[in-house]
């Protein structure tokens, strides 16, 4: 598979420059103190203005797997300063590859909640995404919904929709169940969940929501921002889906831990040639202005308390997130994959 990497350079007050090969990235910036080389798997054009406001950002985009492989192959000569990717599971994979160096920043530790960052400062979460439930307005009484665990109950036989087990979001959700309940209980839950599938898992998160509207299943597991995109769409087909499907936050009843949350996060690379600027960039991402931009740009939840949530997302109610440290979502990834394979989640 050919790695597709783009480079764009953002200047303060300027516009993007394109079509420069990654080999031409500077190993070390000039005297400019706010110049970094950013490796990112966040493919959201809305992030561009965010980078533009920081300084000179040389942006290299590809999938997380491709970026991790590239950084490994570049070794000590890598020009990369920061890896920014989605899902704590991917951050864990980079961590296991020895790509990060610890950061000691009082500002980051003060602003970013402890459960949304690595205990040793290897990476920090800058946006939250909730993995929620969706249900048919016509066929499901929301009073019958409660927790992820309850989706294994026989009442949901042939009604559950979800994407394949190889998806990092599902691996992380399963990892959270292992961290909370242990392997035996998680295996029982997984088996019940698989027994309740409406079809063999296929497609992305949006496909699961659309499948409810099409009558293929009644309840789906998917990230919150996919539904908000449909709500904001002007496509009549998307609006038809929204009219038939609603969102539910699981595990938020009395005594429950809260809905599973994951992060987009970033860390300073071990051989970063512009370390000070890289740390300054992470601190900038934790600013109120940057957090507002993340919330508005991709319908994600900010990690900083008090920063407004996108109004369309906020209309669904306040997020009560599970306080589990998201580093556990990586720690239990191998166990998640093994258990999901054992119960036949394809």
């Amino acid at each position: 598979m050919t790695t597709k990497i783009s480079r764009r350079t953002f200047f303060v007050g300027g516009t993007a420059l394109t079509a420069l090969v990654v080999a031409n990235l500077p190993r070390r910036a000039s005297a400019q103190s706010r110049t970094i080389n950013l490796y990112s798997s966040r493919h959201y054009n809305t992030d561009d203005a965010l980078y533009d406001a920081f300084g000179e950002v040389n942006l290299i985009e590809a999938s997380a797997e491709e970026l991790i492989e590239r950084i490994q192959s570049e070794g000590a000569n890598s020009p990369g300063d920061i890896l920014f990717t989605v899902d704590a599971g991917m951050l864990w994979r980079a961590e296991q590859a020895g790509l990060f160096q610890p950061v000691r920043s009082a500002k980051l530790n003060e602003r970013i909640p402890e459960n949304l960052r690595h205990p040793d400062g290897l990476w920090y979460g800058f946006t939250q995404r909730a993995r929620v439930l969706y249900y048919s307005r016509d066929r499901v009484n929301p009073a019958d919904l409660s927790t992820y665990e309850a989706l294994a109950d026989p009442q949901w036989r042939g009604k559950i929709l979800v994407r394949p087990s190889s998806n990092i979001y599902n691996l992380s959700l399963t990892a959270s169940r292992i961290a909370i309940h242990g392997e035996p209980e998680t295996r029982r839950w997984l088996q019940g969940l698989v027994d309740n599938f409406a079809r063999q898992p296929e497609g992305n998160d949006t496909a699961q929501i659309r499948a409810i509207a099409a009558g293929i299943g009644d309840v789906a597991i998917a990230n919150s921002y996919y539904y908000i995109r449909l709500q904001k769409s002007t496509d009549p087909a998307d609006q038809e889906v929204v009219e038939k499907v609603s969102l539910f936050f699981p595990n938020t009843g009395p005594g429950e831990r809260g809905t599973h949350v994951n992060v987009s996060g970033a860390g300073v690379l071990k051989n970063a040639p512009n370390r000070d600027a890289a740390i300054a960039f992470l601190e900038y991402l934790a600013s109120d202005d940057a957090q507002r931009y993340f919330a508005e740009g991709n319908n994600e939840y900010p990690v900083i308390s008090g920063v407004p949530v996108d109004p369309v997302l906020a209309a669904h109610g306040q997020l009560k997130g599970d306080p589990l440290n998201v580093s556990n979502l990586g720690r239990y990834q191998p166990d998640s994959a093994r258990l999901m394979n054992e119960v036949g989640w394809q």
Side-chain angles (χ1 to χ4, degrees), residues 9-233:
T9 303
F10 299 92
F11 296 98
V12 173
T15 57
L17 305 178
T18 59
L20 295 174
V21 296
V22 69
N24 290 334
L25 281 175
R27 166 64 189 159
R28 183 174 295 279
S30 61
Q32 299 182 48
S33 62
R34 291 175 75 84
T35 300
I36 62 164
N37 301 320
L38 172 64
Y39 285 48
S40 176
S41 68
R42 279 180 60 91
H43 306 303
Y44 308 128
N45 291 334
T46 52
D47 287 355
D48 292 357
L50 187 66
Y51 304 150
D52 184 65
F54 171 77
E56 185 177 337
V57 178
N58 301 310
L59 175 62
I60 305 92
E61 292 181 304
S63 71
E65 293 91 342
E66 291 168 330
L67 291 172
I68 290 171
E69 182 179 354
R70 174 169 287 276
I71 296 165
Q72 287 179 298
S73 67
E74 290 171 343
N77 294 318
S78 175
D81 292 307
I82 288 175
L83 175 63
F84 194 5
T85 188
V86 298
D87 200 282
M90 282 300 179
L91 291 164
W92 176 81
R93 293 182 188 182
E95 174 192 336
Q96 291 301 294
L99 301 188
F100 293 128
Q101 60 173 290
V103 168
R104 301 287 181 260
S105 166
K107 183 178 293 186
L108 288 171
N109 290 341
E110 176 186 353
R111 290 187 62 78
I112 298 179
E114 187 174 1
N115 67 305
L116 301 178
R117 52 185 164 91
H118 189 275
D120 299 323
L122 293 179
W123 47 261
Y124 293 81
F126 293 103
T127 72
Q128 293 185 88
R129 49 264 309 276
R131 196 144 185 82
V132 300
L133 305 185
Y134 296 94
Y135 64 92
S136 167
R137 296 178 190 264
D138 294 333
R139 302 185 300 276
V140 175
N141 182 346
D144 291 335
L145 295 170
S146 56
T147 65
Y148 301 106
E149 290 77 10
L151 297 180
D153 293 347
Q155 76 177 102
W156 303 112
R157 190 63 48 89
K159 297 181 179 180
I160 304 299
L161 294 157
V162 69
R163 64 198 294 177
S165 62
S166 58
N167 172 251
I168 192 71
Y169 303 151
N170 288 333
L171 286 165
S172 290
L173 174 62
T174 302
S176 72
R177 301 303 96 184
I178 295 174
I180 295 166
H181 300 300
E183 276 200 30
E185 182 59 34
T186 300
R187 192 186 191 285
R188 284 191 289 271
W189 171 67
L190 287 171
Q191 186 63 70
L193 189 66
V194 169
D195 290 344
N196 289 343
F197 283 172
R199 65 178 179 186
Q200 286 297 324
E202 62 178 62
N204 57 21
D205 274 15
T206 304
Q208 313 313 314
I209 301 171
R210 294 189 189 281
I212 295 176
I216 297 172
D218 291 352
V219 178
I221 304 171
N223 285 357
S224 53
Y225 50 88
Y226 291 103
Y227 184 76
I228 307 306
R229 290 177 188 172
L230 293 174
Q231 281 192 287
K232 293 182 175 182
S233 171

Side-chain angles (χ1 to χ4, degrees), residues 331-345:
R331 182 177 306 151
Y332 292 103
Q333 290 271 314
D335 300 319
S336 297
R338 172 174 51 79
L339 291 180
M340 295 163 90
N341 180 66
E342 288 176 0
V343 300
W345 186 341

